[in-house]
Amino acid sequence: MVEQPAFGRRLREMRRERGLSQAAVAGDNMSTGYLSRLESGARQPTARAVAYLAERLQVDPSEFDEPSVGSVAEALALATSSDGGDEALRKLSAALEQSPAVDPTLRWQVLWLLAGAAAGHGERVEEARLREELVRTAEELMIPELQCRARAQLARCLRSLGDIPRALEAAQEASRLAHDHKLSVQDTGAALLTLVSVEAEAGRLYDARAHADDLLALVAERTDTLRAEALWAAATVSFRQGDSATARQRLEQAIEEFDSRLDLVLWMRLRLAAASLYLQVSPRRLDECGRRLDEAEPALALVGTPVLRQEMLTLRVHLAFEEGRYEDARAAHDELVLDELRLTYRDRIRLDMLHSRLLIQEGHTQQGSSQLRELAERAQQTSNIDLAAEIWRTLAETPDRQ
């Protein structure tokens, strides 16, 4: 029987390949907590647990065994030249683990591919580990472009985890590398884009606005994904500065200009971002929110990942609450949290905020208000200043239902 953590990785991959939640696999004879610990590698599986899980997944127990792997180069060639999916990536990861002294250029390619896959699955802690290894590998190679890209992507990942101080440090270093080495518009823009996003999250809105202006000037003549993301980032800064009209104009401009044939995922995410904005402006633009979600829905069926599906459902929950459909909001919320959440730190906190507001709406005022205060304090402690301010505002605007 394979040892941990390989068993946990294989178990998680097989469950996700079948589109099953942890609760669905655990069934009546295993707790989801135990299953979660198995997947994380924190517990060694017993023979009985292996047999039970094999039955639940309808596979032979031997499927949990570690596959034989060839060289890293061979595994990379197989992973990039076919649609092998998670199985090919698992073999690639195993090959790299067995060859720690592999050439750093080859290691970079493997780590970049694995980190992208982890991001797509919403495995943010694993992605952060891989991104940090990419930074170390880039330092070993001493190639400025790779050093900049590694730090920019690490900053994005750390931001999604809510680790703002480290994200800010990585983003600032990526921007410095791009400036000092006069890197391409693509690398410079990507570094600036990340820096703007992190600064906005940290509440450093003056710096974020200045860098957003630099970014928009840099991409003024472009019509690609970088320009669309730049307009999105600038819209975020404008909104957090209280200028919702400019935020709306910039986000709608990004939606109007961007061609879905360039990147259908980004095309969809821009609409989800607009829906989120319309839920937060005052007064709420609920009809426009619903329209943007409806536009994104068909694309979700084509290119949706578990992360994007959760983002869509989360926005549907918020919309139901704002429309006064509290029972629908409660039912959708409870369905969402049954599964393993892969949302960003900000989205998870905002979902917790909504749960607190539902409690207050249902008459549990003290419990809901207490949870909101705890969320605000937690956001402050992790330097998510803008998010903390949003929670305090929500608490102040919450009517006393006692």
Side-chain angles (χ1 to χ4, degrees), residues 36-210:
S36 178
R37 289 192 291 276
L38 287 176
E39 288 193 353
S40 69
R43 289 289 297 273
Q44 182 67 25
T46 64
R48 182 178 178 183
V50 172
Y52 176 74
L53 291 168
E55 179 182 354
R56 298 290 297 174
L57 292 167
Q58 298 182 337
V59 298
D60 189 273
S62 63
E63 289 291 317
F64 292 111
D65 292 339
E66 189 75 89
S68 59
V69 294
S71 69
V72 174
E74 176 185 324
L76 178 61
L78 290 171
T80 56
S81 63
S82 67
D83 187 19
D86 290 340
E87 178 66 17
L89 292 174
R90 183 168 67 92
K91 291 181 178 180
L92 179 58
S93 179
L96 185 63
E97 286 182 9
Q98 293 183 13
S99 306
V102 70
D103 176 78
T105 305
L106 184 58
R107 188 192 319 135
W108 166 273
Q109 296 176 63
V110 173
L111 291 169
W112 188 265
L113 186 62
L114 293 175
H121 285 305
E123 298 172 348
R124 303 183 194 282
V125 174
E126 174 65 7
E127 182 196 353
R129 183 189 70 80
L130 293 165
R131 298 290 182 196
E132 287 169 348
E133 197 168 342
L134 273 165
V135 169
R136 291 191 290 270
T137 303
E139 289 301 299
E140 190 176 346
L141 290 167
M142 298 185 66
I143 300 175
E145 289 84 354
L146 299 187
Q147 292 172 314
C148 176
R149 293 169 196 172
R151 284 173 169 79
Q153 290 298 324
L154 175 60
R156 282 194 173 204
C157 180
L158 292 172
R159 172 179 170 268
S160 75
L161 285 167
D163 190 346
I164 299 304
R166 290 179 62 212
L168 184 60
E169 180 182 355
Q172 289 172 333
E173 182 62 16
S175 185
R176 184 195 66 77
L177 282 163
H179 178 269
D180 290 354
H181 293 278
K182 296 180 173 57
L183 299 186
S184 68
V185 170
Q186 185 65 39
D187 281 321
T188 302
L192 268 177
L193 178 66
T194 303
L195 182 58
V196 169
S197 300
V198 176
E199 287 175 334
E201 205 77 16
R204 301 176 59 156
L205 297 179
Y206 178 83
D207 293 336
R209 178 61 180 267

Side-chain angles (χ1 to χ4, degrees), residues 301-323:
L302 294 173
V303 295
T305 64
V307 178
L308 289 170
R309 292 189 189 96
Q310 287 190 354
E311 288 178 4
M312 170 69 83
L313 183 54
T314 299
L315 289 169
R316 293 285 189 193
V317 173
H318 284 289
L319 179 59
F321 183 91
E322 295 298 340
E323 289 178 336

